[in-house]
Structure formats: C-alpha cells, structure tokens
C-alpha cells in the first residue's frame, strides 16, 4: 500500500480552519478552567468547611468521571430542563469543567509548596493577604506548577477531539469528513496527527522557555529590575550611607511594650500561662529558657502571628498606641489593626524566612514598597544602606540561595529594620546557624542594641545575654519564672529552677 497525500491537499483550507477551532476550543476552556481551578484551590485550602467541602466534592466528581460524560450532560442533558446550548459553547463549558478540577489540584500543590515561614515574614512587615498572594506566593508557585500544568494543557488539547461527537468542527471531525470523501483514512489521520504533534510540541517548547525564564536564581538580575530601585546596572558599587536605626534618643521610662495576663493554648497544651512583662524604650531584654518554655510563642503573640487566648498587649509607639485585649468576650482584632501594629513591631525569625525569588536588596525593599508605599529609588537607597550596615554592601544582587546562613540572617535583620519599628523581636536568631557563623550575627545584634533600639530577644546565647541585655527574663512551662538584671541573673539567681538551668548550660 502506497501513501498518497495529494488527495488531501484540496482540503488544506478546511484543515486550517479546523486547527484554529481546536486552538480556540482548547485555549478558551483552559483559561476558564485555570481561573475556576484557582478559586477551587483557594477553597480547598480554606479552613472553612463551607468552602473546602464543596470544592473537594467538585474535584472528586469532575476528575472521577470521563470528559465525554460532561459533554453529553451539558449538550444533551441541559435541554431537558429548558437550557439549550450551541455545540461550541457546550463543548467549552464541558472541557472547562474537567480542566478546572485537574488545574485546581495542580495549583493547590503549588500554593502549598511555599514555606509557611515566608508568609509569616510577609505578615510580619505588614503585608495584606492579597499582596502576599501576588508578590510572594504566586511567583514561586508558578515555577512549581509549570511542568504539571503544561502537561495537563497538552493532554487537554488532545481531549478537545471529543467535541466531534456534538458536531463541533474541530480537527478530528474535519479529518473524518475528509477521509469519508477521499477514502484515504490513513493519510488523513497522519496529517491530523502531525498537526496535533505540532500544537503539542509548540506547548512543550513554550514550557521549556517558561521554565528557563522562571529559573530566577540561575541568571544575573536584569538592569530594569535594579533600575526600578534606583540602583543602576552595578548595584554593588552604589554608595550607601548607613541610616540611623532609631529616630532619636529613647524617652526615658516610657514603656513601649506592656503585657498583662497573656495566655495561649494549643489544644490541651498551655504555651503561655498569664504572662506579665513590660519593656521600656531603648531597653534590651533577653528571654532565656529551655526549649518549649514559651519564648517563641510569646514573641509570636506580641506580633499577632499567633492570636492569644487571653490577656492584654499594649504598645506605645509614640506616634501610635495599641491597646489590645484577647479572650472569649474581647473584640476581635481587625486585619487593618494587625497591619498597623506590625508596622511598629519588627520581627526576625529563627529560620530567616527570606523570599528566595527576590534579591537581597529586594527582600529589604519589599515592605517599604508594598506597605510604606515608598518610591523605588528611596526604598533602594534605604535598603542599600542597611545592607551595608550589616556588612552585606557587596551582596545586594545576590539571591538567598547564594548566601551563607549568617548572611541570610543579616539580610532578615536589615529587612525588619527597614520598616523603622519601635520595638524589635528576635526569635532565636542564631539557633539555625553553624557555630562559626553565630558570631557575625551576634555582632549585628550588638550594633542594633547600641543604636538604642528597643529589643526583645529569645536566645540560647548566654554570653550575648550577659554582655548586652539590660534585663533577662527566664521562662519555663509557659510562665515567667524570674526577671532580673543581666548581672543579677547570672551572678545571683534567685529561683531554684533558674539555678538548675544555669548550672546545666554554663557547665
């Protein structure tokens, strides 16, 4: 048997029209399916059962039934209740139903692949959830979902051939028409297969280009990216004056932070049990205690990353004051209040929580741009100055993956300081570092303390606490056991539990 494609040539215009119809059908239904899938993914991730359960049921049913059934139900089933659709809209809706279910799970996997700490870091500088979603989560999630999403899209293009059963003149129906007229079925199917291969190969090549574009840390940053921050092409050479960390001398005796009766429970476990503490302006308070004593929970409650179950938190930021009460009868703290409060309370995390898709300088400027609404060049100047101050003036254009642990933590400190907070919270800032990197971070903390910044530091570094702290707070079992000056705490501890702790850690 010899192949003869000459009989197919007269139908080339018809094949071209059918190819365009296939493209339109695939792209339109995929776009709708992607938008609906994104909403389904958010619903699946919601803590509200009224959203997550219906989303789960939709995905379960739509993925578990063939697309052909969806098509038949839309085209032949809806007319039984008085809704009649033309073949093309019916096919688009049916394919979008299937696409939405598959894309929802792909997109959910991408959204959940982002480390929660990155979201917490964005919340800590005052970003709203829509801003976090757009600026922090989606750029990284897109990189994760590109391979499976494009694989789904390629499969989706081929599935559009099912539209032929409702007489949509796409590629397969047109191919059937051609070989029924020419009796050259093999040739017609080879041509149709070649067209499908071309379309899917185009998508596969586009996937490779997109993956290369999204490999943000594999190539130097673009000039445009740096110019937006007023840094020009050679950011490393930009002169930057180190800005003052506090606006002026601290008001003597002013209580910046007051905590009364603070409580926090995780199920049956009490993390904080009626904690009382006050911190004066310019004071450095180190919180010590064994692991699980409540140090980190205390700091997270102050910044409202964890909602307390009871008690009060008052913050006097000079230009603003916050008096917050918690408990079953207390008024709920609004998202706007949380955002305003976090603008005055900076936080540095144990595991850095830098945003890996952003340069070191962008990690620092992001809060200034999105929360403070600062102009790009001004934000860039402040960020460059702060990074220079923490010893990273030559690392402005480095990605976090290109930095050591100590350097990453110094970027995180600069990011928090850039917001000009009235009080800084440090959650065990050296615990995740190799021993040889601890010193460089402690030196930065001492520099911050010397500037007059009000600091609350949860730490295991006894030497740092002895040198720098004005007061030491010792916690155990979610309670404050002892509060004393650094000298009294280490030289004349009063509580038996404090004595046993110091004997264990200072051996």
């Amino acid at each position: 048997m010899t192949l003869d494609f000459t009989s197919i040539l007269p139908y080339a215009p018809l094949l071209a029209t059918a190819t365009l119809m296939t493209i339109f059908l695939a792209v339109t239904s995929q776009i709708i399916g992607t938008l609906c899938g994104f909403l389904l993914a958010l619903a699946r991730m919601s803590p509200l059962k009224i959203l997550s359960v219906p989303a789960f049921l939709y995905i379960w049913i739509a993925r578990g039934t063939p697309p052909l059934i969806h098509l038949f139900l839309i085209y032949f089933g809806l007319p039984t209740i008085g809704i009649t659709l033309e073949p093309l809209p019916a096919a688009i809706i049916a394919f979008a139903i299937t696409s939405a279910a598959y894309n929802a799970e792909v997109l959910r996997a991408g959204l959940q692949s982002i480390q929660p700490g990155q979201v917490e870091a964005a919340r800590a500088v005052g970003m709203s959830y829509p801003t976090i979603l757009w600026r922090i989560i989606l750029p990284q999630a897109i990189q994760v979902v590109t391979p499976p999403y494009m694989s789904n899209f390629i499969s989706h293009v081929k599935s559009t051939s099912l539209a032929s059963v409702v007489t949509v003149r796409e590629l397969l129906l047109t191919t059937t028409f051609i070989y029924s007229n020419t009796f050259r079925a093999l040739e017609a199917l080879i041509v149709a297969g070649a067209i499908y291969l071309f379309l899917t190969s185009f998508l596969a090549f586009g996937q490779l280009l997109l993956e290369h574009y999204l490999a943000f840390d594999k190539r130097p940053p673009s000039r445009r990216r740096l110019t937006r921050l007023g840094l020009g092409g050679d950011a490393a050479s930009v002169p930057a004056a180190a800005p003052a960390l506090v606006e002026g001398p601290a008001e003597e005796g002013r209580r910046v932070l007051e905590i009364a009766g603070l409580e926090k429970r995780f199920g049956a476990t009490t993390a904080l049990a009626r904690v009382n503490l006050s911190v004066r302006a310019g004071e450095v308070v180190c919180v010590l205690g064994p692991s699980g004593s409540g140090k980190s929970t205390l700091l997270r409650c102050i910044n409202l990353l964890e909602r307390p179950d009871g008690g009060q938190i008052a913050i006097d930021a000079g230009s603003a004051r916050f008096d917050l009460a918690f408990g079953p009868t207390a008024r709920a703290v609004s998202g706007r209040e949380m955002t305003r409060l976090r603008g005055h309370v900076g936080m540095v995390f144990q595991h850095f929580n830098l945003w890996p898709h952003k340069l070191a300088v962008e990690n620092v400027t992001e809060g200034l741009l999105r929360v403070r609404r600062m102009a790009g060049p001004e934000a860039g100047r402040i960020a460059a100055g702060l990074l220079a101050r923490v010893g990273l003036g030559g690392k402005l254009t480095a990605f976090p993956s290109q930095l050591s642990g100590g350097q990453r933590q110094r970027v995180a400190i600069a990011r928090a300081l850039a917001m000009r907070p009235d009080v800084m919270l440090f959650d065990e800032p050296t615990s995740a570092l190799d021993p040889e990197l601890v010193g460089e971070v402690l030196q930065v903390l001492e520099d911050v303390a010397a500037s007059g910044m009000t600091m609350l530091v949860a730490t295991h570094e006894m030497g740092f606490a002895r040198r720098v702290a004005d007061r030491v707070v010792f916690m155990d079992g979610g309670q404050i056991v002892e509060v004393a000056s650094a000298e009294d705490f280490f030289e004349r501890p009063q509580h038996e539990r404090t004595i046993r702790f110091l004997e264990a850690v200072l051996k």
Side-chain angles (χ1 to χ4, degrees):
M1 178 182 178
T2 58
L3 297 176
D4 180 13
F5 291 95
T6 57
S7 58
I8 308 297
L9 289 177
Y11 295 95
L14 199 60
L15 283 170
T17 302
T19 301
L20 292 176
M21 176 58 73
T22 296
I23 294 172
F24 175 77
L25 181 57
V27 171
T28 305
S29 57
Q30 181 74 355
I31 290 174
I32 297 172
T34 300
L35 295 176
C36 294
F38 180 66
L39 296 177
L40 283 169
L42 294 179
R44 278 278 279 124
M45 295 165 59
S46 172
L48 301 176
K49 297 294 184 182
I50 196 172
L51 295 176
S52 61
V53 172
F56 170 78
L57 291 175
Y58 174 90
I59 294 168
W60 171 52
I61 294 171
R63 286 199 308 173
T65 51
L68 190 59
I69 291 180
H70 305 160
L71 185 57
F72 269 69
L73 289 175
I74 296 295
Y75 188 67
F76 296 110
L78 290 182
T80 64
I81 59 173
I83 302 174
T84 302
L85 297 175
E86 293 296 321
L88 181 58
I92 290 174
I93 293 172
F95 293 140
I97 288 172
T98 305
S99 173
Y102 282 96
N103 286 333
E105 293 298 87
V106 169
L107 295 173
R108 182 170 69 92
L111 295 173
Q112 292 182 329
S113 70
I114 309 307
Q115 293 294 326
Q118 294 185 41
V119 176
E120 290 186 343
R123 290 170 60 199
V125 298
M127 290 189 201
S128 64
Y129 185 73
T131 301
I132 295 171
L133 188 64
W134 183 252
R135 299 293 305 176
I136 305 302
I137 297 176
L138 283 181
Q140 298 178 74
I142 290 173
Q143 184 185 32
V144 173
V145 306
T146 292
Y149 176 85
M150 292 302 293
S151 180
N152 275 352
F153 193 9
I154 289 171
S155 179
H156 187 69
V157 170
K158 296 180 291 183
S159 296
T160 57
S161 60
L162 295 173
S164 61
V165 302
V166 293
T167 69
V168 174
R169 290 193 171 275
E170 47 68 63
L171 192 53
L172 185 60
L173 182 62
T174 300
T175 302
T176 304
F177 171 78
I178 291 172
Y179 70 64
S180 66
N181 281 272
T182 62
F183 302 103
R184 309 299 297 190
L186 188 58
E187 290 88 339
L189 289 172
I190 289 175
V191 171
I195 295 173
Y196 276 117
L197 181 61
F198 173 79
L199 294 178
T200 55
S201 297
F202 179 81
L203 291 176
F205 182 69
Q207 174 187 333
L208 293 177
L209 292 179
L210 185 58
E211 288 181 16
H212 175 73
Y213 175 77
L214 294 173
F216 44 81
D217 57 349
K218 299 295 191 296
R219 62 181 185 277
S222 66
R223 179 179 294 271
R224 180 184 176 188
R225 188 172 184 173
L226 298 174
T227 302
R228 282 199 296 262
L229 299 176
L231 298 178
D234 185 11
S237 66
V238 175
L245 301 184
V246 293
E247 294 186 359
E251 298 178 34
E252 188 174 348
R254 177 168 66 93
R255 294 184 177 181
V256 176
L257 173 65
E258 291 187 81
I259 299 169
L262 199 65
E263 299 177 350
K264 179 61 184 178
R265 291 177 293 277
F266 296 100
T269 303
T270 299
L272 296 177
R274 300 196 62 79
V275 170
N276 299 291
L277 179 66
S278 66
V279 181
R280 295 185 299 273
E283 189 177 25
V284 178
V285 177
C286 284
V287 184
L288 307 182
S291 297
S293 60
K295 304 186 299 298
S296 295
T297 302
L298 174 61
L299 268 57
R300 291 172 62 82
C301 285
I302 294 171
N303 206 27
L304 300 183
L305 293 176
E306 298 286 355
R307 178 177 173 81
D309 295 311
Q312 297 86 40
I313 297 176
I315 296 176
D316 182 1
S319 60
R321 182 174 176 85
F322 303 88
D323 291 286
L324 308 177
F326 305 93
T329 61
R331 179 183 63 86
V333 181
S334 69
R336 179 171 294 183
E337 284 179 297
M338 290 186 186
T339 299
R340 287 184 59 237
L341 180 143
R342 289 167 182 154
H344 296 277
V345 181
M347 188 158 185
V348 175
F349 299 86
Q350 177 179 351
H351 295 289
F352 329 133
N353 294 347
L354 297 183
W355 303 309
H357 62 300
K358 295 189 176 296
L359 306 172
V361 68
E362 290 173 328
N363 267 273
V364 180
T365 60
E366 195 67 19
L368 299 174
L369 296 171
R370 310 304 162 192
V371 179
R372 300 289 193 213
R373 303 295 180 185
M374 194 175 288
E378 183 182 0
R381 178 183 58 80
I382 291 173
L386 283 169
L387 288 171
R389 179 160 188 160
V390 298
L392 296 175
K395 297 290 186 179
L396 272 63
T397 60
F399 284 99
S401 61
Q402 299 164 339
L403 300 175
S404 69
Q407 290 171 333
R408 292 180 202 176
Q409 191 62 290
R410 285 185 277 160
V411 173
I413 293 171
R415 175 175 64 186
L417 292 173
M419 304 303 291
R420 300 299 294 273
D422 294 277
V423 57
M424 281 284 293
L425 310 177
F426 294 87
D427 183 11
E428 301 188 18
T430 60
S431 294
L433 299 177
D434 293 333
E436 64 267 22
L437 300 177
V438 169
E440 63 188 52
V441 173
L442 292 181
Q443 183 59 53
V444 171
L445 294 185
E446 293 188 32
D447 178 45
V448 174
S451 72
M453 175 65 70
T454 306
M455 298 168 59
L456 192 59
V457 187
T459 183
H460 292 291
E461 297 294 332
M462 299 297 113
F464 171 81
R466 187 192 290 261
R467 291 193 310 274
V468 178
D470 297 302
R471 283 189 299 153
V472 174
V473 174
F474 177 68
M475 294 187 69
D476 189 37
Q479 297 178 313
I480 292 181
V481 175
E482 185 168 345
V483 181
S485 68
E487 181 180 356
D488 286 343
F489 180 84
F490 287 102
E491 300 297 335
R492 293 173 291 276
Q494 300 297 308
H495 198 281
E496 179 188 352
R497 180 67 183 92
T498 308
I499 295 171
R500 285 192 284 112
F501 173 79
L502 290 175
E503 286 177 347
V505 299
L506 297 179
K507 278 184 179 179

